[in-house]
Amino acid sequence: MEKLLFGTGGTPHSSKTRSSLDGIKRIAELGLGCMELEFVQGVKIGEGGARLVAEIAAEEGVKLSAHGPYFINLNAHELEKIIASQERILRTARIAYLCGAESIIFHAAYYLGDPPEKTYQVVKKYLAEIMSQLRREKNRVWVRLEVMGKPSEFGTVDEVLNLCAEIEGVGIGMDFAHAHARNGKLNSYSDFITILQKIKQRLGSQALDNMHIHVSGIAYGKKGEIKHLNLKDSDLKYVELLRALKDLNAKGLVICESPSLEKDALLLQKIYHSL
Ligand SMILES: [Zn+2]
């Protein structure tokens, strides 16, 4: 990636219709650079539709990523739920690849009371199977695990980075709002720099050239994330975050997931370019 691009998680609110095609066109009209396709309720787009999405995105100069379904748990205690989760991730990857997306991102697992280390090993095993299958299919999409916002959810920065280091093709979905909400910390310029340095140390400097970032305002409590908020209604230090991203010259996609979507994406982009 040549620079840091800003965009929305899903079709912008001001788009003519809710369709991904109109969403992509609206992103370009707004002067934003990217959009995340939301397959969160299931992958509902077919192969023909995906090819059309790729065509329009290329025409409009909009970069894409895709968010996998919420119904995924690679640490489920029933084998059929694991297999269904793997299938959902594979289907997301296949359609995303046809859409021309460079990354997919999803919520990998819940601990369900298991020790984190045991959960890690289980997630690693089933994720490795997914990656082998994608390699067989010559699908080169980045498979990114999202950093999660609740202590009950698998996906600390360290857990995700360890998986990235162990399995080729696995990347980090660096959700700064989630990282902050998980325990109320990680919310200063030096914290953001520390996280980015850690990514560089563990995965090499090319990881900072190819970041996938989620940002939004966030409400949180003892159990971590409660809900997403607009940036100005939350305590997330987004200007410091943007400064850290700029100072370390991070490149890639910044996907805004605030309720106000494009308004906050434009705000982030404007501040970033003014720094
Ligand atoms: Zn997510």
Side-chain angles (χ1 to χ4, degrees), residues 36 38 40 67-68 70 105-107 146-148 175 178 214 225 228 257:
E36 190 150 282
E38 297 280 9
V40 295
H67 195 306
Y70 289 141
I105 180 165
F106 57 93
H107 309 170
E146 185 165 323
V147 169
M148 297 306 299
D175 191 315
H178 283 171
H214 281 178
E225 173 184 11
H228 288 193
E257 293 187 320

Side-chain angles (χ1 to χ4, degrees), residues 202-253:
R202 295 296 317 275
L203 308 179
S205 58
Q206 70 277 9
L208 285 191
D209 291 338
N210 180 26
M211 289 289 290
H212 189 78
I213 294 166
H214 281 178
V215 187
S216 70
I218 196 150
Y220 54 92
K222 275 205 187 79
K223 293 178 178 173
E225 173 184 11
I226 296 170
K227 62 173 180 174
H228 288 193
L229 297 173
N230 291 330
L231 290 169
K232 286 183 174 161
D233 298 333
S234 114
D235 70 352
L236 187 83
K237 300 259 196 300
Y238 55 94
V239 179
E240 295 189 22
L241 170 60
L242 292 167
R243 200 177 293 281
L245 291 169
K246 190 144 204 175
D247 287 350
L248 291 192
N249 197 21
K251 296 166 189 163
L253 308 189

Side-chain angles (χ1 to χ4, degrees), residues 24-25 27-28 32-35 56-64:
I24 292 163
K25 290 178 191 161
I27 289 285
L32 291 166
C34 57
M35 189 177 100
I56 300 297
E59 240 172 65
E60 301 283 348
V62 172
K63 295 275 182 203
L64 297 176

Side-chain angles (χ1 to χ4, degrees), residues 62-117:
V62 172
K63 295 275 182 203
L64 297 176
S65 56
H67 195 306
Y70 289 141
F71 303 105
I72 285 173
N73 184 1
L74 290 177
N75 186 44
H77 289 164
E78 301 84 357
L79 187 60
E80 67 264 32
K81 286 192 187 165
I82 302 254
I83 292 168
S85 295
Q86 286 182 311
E87 278 306 318
R88 290 187 180 112
I89 295 165
L90 284 167
R91 182 157 164 71
T92 302
R94 287 169 186 143
I95 293 296
Y97 197 57
L98 290 177
C99 287
E102 286 167 26
S103 294
I104 66 164
I105 180 165
F106 57 93
H107 309 170
Y110 293 84
Y111 298 111
L112 303 178
D114 295 341
E117 178 53 27

